[in-house]
């Protein structure tokens, strides 16, 4: 890393001028940034020329890696033709229409319309508004409480951050807002009771959900938001039978369900949608990230027929559907997204994910033998290891010990970018184009980082596990 002390370095200028998202701002003033300058395939390069495997595809999003020329061409072509237009007041553009058609053809739910926004937070905010609007329109103004899950991640705007079930997204932001409530996290490793089987755990979560709905009053509960695999909360997979059990409860009380596919959508779990992998049949889908392989910001909300008709009629009564973003359905982003989806099909990216996933999962699960790893979990091309102080008791390290962050830094030294999440969970979510030999290289680098972490943990006297 270049020294942030050099006053004209990019690092020093960054410290001087940029307010960083998801960063300890105090530390940043001395540690400075990693300046990423270029990318090729699954690799990115810093301004010193050092190579890193991007083990997180950026933020779980650059599915086609960092040098896909066809996407650059799609952007240039659309930029030359029409660099901007919008969809307000009966306007449209070709790429938006074609992308909506394409998403409808891929959708696992019987779809009426597609609404475009710029990112996952905006898509989820849109959904909350749509659901409230819908319930007002159908004469159910009291049916407004939205449920999501502890450790769920749905974004950072006021409503979507309220859906998010992580303390750092609420603390001192005066969140969550009223009418957004959190229910159980389905993480069997962490939250099962002693001796409880997976089936018993699922049954208990479904009972708890029903009790929660009863306490709120079923007439007050509008919707339930869930990621098929919980991403930023720690790559948490639902236990077997979870979604069917939860959905039976939701159906009983006329509660709409949303699958937040912002990470899982477009092949990440080996199917087009994470909902398909886990037998989840939602009413709505929100998606973003791999929709455009992250080359330009775009997200989409998939709206079913039965909801659309009510919303349509209500907008007719009011005179407009009073919602929309200046850059929602940006034609350049839509053209890039359309090309991305075509590439996923032309190159059979789903087939590729399913071919490489066994190697990825085998290398991941082997990490469970390491003295620091309490659980190694994953599906498709997404996974995580949870580092613990004691494997037998599953005791975590003190959050202040910074074990996950240390591991992330050691990985960076080894030329691997991964993500340390709360609870010392290390996430892996490489570009979907990764090959088997690159998977091996990723885990070889990570194993070296883990060895360094173990030595550091012992040196610090933190380890009760070795
Ligand atoms: C599942 C999920 N939903 C929503 C979001 C928010 O998306 P954005 O950061 O584009 O607003 C994210 C971002 O990581 C996500 O992982």
């Amino acid at each position: 890393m270049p020294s942030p002390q050099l006053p004209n370095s990019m690092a020093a200028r960054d410290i001087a001028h940029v307010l960083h998202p998801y960063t300890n701002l105090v530390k940043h003033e001395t540690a400075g940034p990693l300046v990423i300058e270029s990318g090729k395939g699954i690799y990115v390069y810093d301004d010193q020329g050092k190579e890193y495997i991007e083990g997180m595809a950026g933020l779980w999003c650059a599915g086609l890696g960092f040098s896909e020329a066809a996407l650059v061409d799609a952007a240039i072509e659309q930029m030359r033709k029409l660099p901007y237009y919008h969809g307000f007041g009966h306007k449209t553009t070709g790429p938006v229409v074609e992308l909506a058609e394409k998403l409808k053809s891929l959708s696992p739910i019987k779809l009426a319309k597609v609404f475009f926004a710029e990112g996952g937070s905006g898509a989820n905010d849109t959904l909350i508004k749509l659901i409230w609007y819908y319930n007002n329109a159908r004469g159910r103004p009291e049916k407004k409480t939205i449920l999501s899950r502890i450790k769920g991640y749905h974004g950072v705007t006021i409503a979507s951050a309220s859906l998010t079930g992580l303390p750092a997204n609420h603390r001192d932001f005066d969140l969550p807002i009223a009418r957004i409530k959190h229910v159980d996290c389905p993480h069997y490793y962490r939250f099962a009771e002693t001796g409880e089987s997976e089936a018993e755990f699922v049954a208990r979560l479904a009972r708890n959900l029903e009790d929660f709905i009863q306490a709120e009053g079923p007439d007050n509960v509008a919707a339930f938001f869930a990621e098929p695999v919980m991403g930023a909360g720690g790559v948490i997979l639902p236990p077997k039978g979870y979604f069917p059990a939860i959905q039976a409860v939701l159906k009983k009380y006329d509660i709409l369900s949303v699958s937040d596919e912002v990470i899982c959508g477009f092949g990440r779990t080996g199917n087009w949608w994470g909902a398909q992998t886990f037998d989840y049949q939602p009413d709505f889908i929100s998606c973003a990230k791999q929709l455009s392989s992250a080359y330009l910001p775009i997200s989409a909300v998939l709206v079913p027929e039965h909801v659309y008709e009510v919303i349509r009629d209500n907008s007719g009564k009011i005179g407009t559907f009073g919602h929309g973003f200046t850059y929602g359905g940006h034609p350049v982003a839509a053209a890039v997204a359309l090309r991305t989806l075509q590439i996923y099909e032309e190159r059979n990216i789903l087939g590729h994910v399913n071919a490489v996933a066994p190697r990825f999962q085998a290398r991941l699960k082997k990490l469970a033998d390491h003295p620091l790893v309490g659980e190694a979990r994953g599906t498709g091309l997404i996974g995580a290891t949870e580092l613990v102080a004691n494997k037998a008791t599953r005791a975590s390290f003190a959050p202040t010990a910074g074990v996950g962050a240390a591991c992330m830094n050691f990985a960076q030294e080894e030329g691997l970018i991964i993500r340390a999440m709360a609870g010392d969970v290390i996430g892996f979510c490489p570009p979907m184009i990764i090959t088997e030999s690159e998977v091996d290289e990723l885990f070889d680098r990570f194993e070296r980082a883990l060895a360094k972490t173990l030595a550091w943990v012992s040196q610090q006297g933190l380890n009760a596990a070795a």
Side-chain angles (χ1 to χ4, degrees), residues 111-395:
L111 209 60
K113 305 282 175 186
V114 182
F115 177 87
F116 292 105
E118 305 127 318
S121 302
N124 287 326
D125 269 34
T126 295
L127 270 166
I128 293 174
K129 288 181 71 181
L130 274 184
I131 290 163
W132 285 347
Y133 193 79
Y134 165 74
N135 276 340
N136 284 328
R138 66 183 186 133
R140 306 289 302 276
E142 76 295 344
K143 202 166 172 65
K144 295 288 168 55
T145 299
I146 310 272
L147 305 178
S148 63
R149 299 172 302 169
I150 293 163
K151 295 200 180 195
Y153 190 87
H154 300 286
V156 295
T157 47
I158 288 177
S160 68
S162 296
L163 288 175
T164 293
L166 296 168
N169 294 98
H170 295 165
R171 187 171 164 186
D172 291 344
F173 288 116
D174 291 357
L175 296 174
I177 54 170
R179 300 192 295 189
I180 295 184
K181 307 263 168 86
H182 298 92
V183 296
D184 291 314
C185 171
H187 191 188
Y188 180 69
Y189 173 77
R190 274 283 159 225
F191 300 116
E193 287 167 358
T194 315
E196 192 175 42
S197 72
E198 209 167 290
E200 288 162 348
F201 178 62
V202 166
R204 177 163 62 85
L205 263 46
R207 263 195 324 275
N208 286 353
L209 176 66
E210 184 151 14
D211 291 347
F212 195 96
I213 292 166
Q214 288 290 359
E216 280 290 310
D219 288 346
N220 300 325
V221 182
F224 170 85
F225 278 66
E227 303 152 84
V229 175
M230 302 171 83
V235 188
I236 297 165
L237 276 71
K240 207 165 174 309
Y242 171 80
F243 278 110
I246 292 294
Q247 283 212 278
V249 177
L250 300 174
K251 289 231 164 74
K252 190 165 159 190
Y253 298 107
D254 184 28
I255 295 169
L256 294 164
S257 54
V258 175
S259 187
D260 180 338
E261 299 270 355
V262 168
I263 288 178
C264 292
F266 311 105
R268 179 56 64 188
T269 67
N271 288 301
W272 275 106
W273 308 99
Q276 293 165 323
T277 305
F278 296 105
D279 204 7
Y280 183 23
Q281 283 151 9
D283 295 290
F284 300 92
I285 281 178
S286 53
C287 58
K289 295 193 190 271
Q290 297 200 133
L291 168 57
S292 62
S293 188
Y295 279 42
L296 283 172
I298 183 165
S299 63
V301 173
L302 312 191
V303 182
E305 195 75 48
H306 64 282
V307 175
Y308 169 69
E309 284 165 5
V310 175
I311 289 169
R312 175 197 60 204
D313 294 349
N314 203 46
S315 82
K317 243 189 323 185
I318 295 172
T320 187
F321 172 58
H323 178 75
F325 302 100
T326 298
Y327 305 117
H330 192 292
V332 184
V336 168
L338 186 63
R339 192 71 195 99
T340 301
L341 299 184
Q342 286 164 351
I343 291 172
Y344 291 162
E345 286 184 329
E346 285 162 16
R347 298 189 200 157
N348 188 16
I349 292 292
L350 252 69
H352 177 76
V353 168
N354 286 312
V356 177
R359 184 81 190 152
F360 179 85
Q361 292 298 329
R363 289 294 306 257
L364 175 73
K365 305 278 162 67
K366 200 166 132 258
L367 295 169
D369 299 336
H370 189 275
L372 281 179
V373 176
E375 189 184 36
R377 51 184 182 258
T379 186
L381 284 181
I382 186 168
T385 56
E386 184 157 339
L387 308 185
V388 292
N390 187 319
K391 282 176 78 125
T393 64
R394 304 184 178 183

Side-chain angles (χ1 to χ4, degrees), residues 14-15 17-28 32-34 58-59 121 153 155-157 168-169 173 289 408 419-420:
D14 175 89
I15 291 172
H17 304 300
V18 179
L19 178 58
H20 277 259
Y22 279 109
T23 298
N24 179 327
L25 302 177
V26 175
K27 264 196 203 153
H28 190 70
L34 173 66
L59 290 172
S121 302
Y153 190 87
V156 295
T157 47
N169 294 98
F173 288 116
K289 295 193 190 271
M408 187 173 74
R419 168 119 170 240

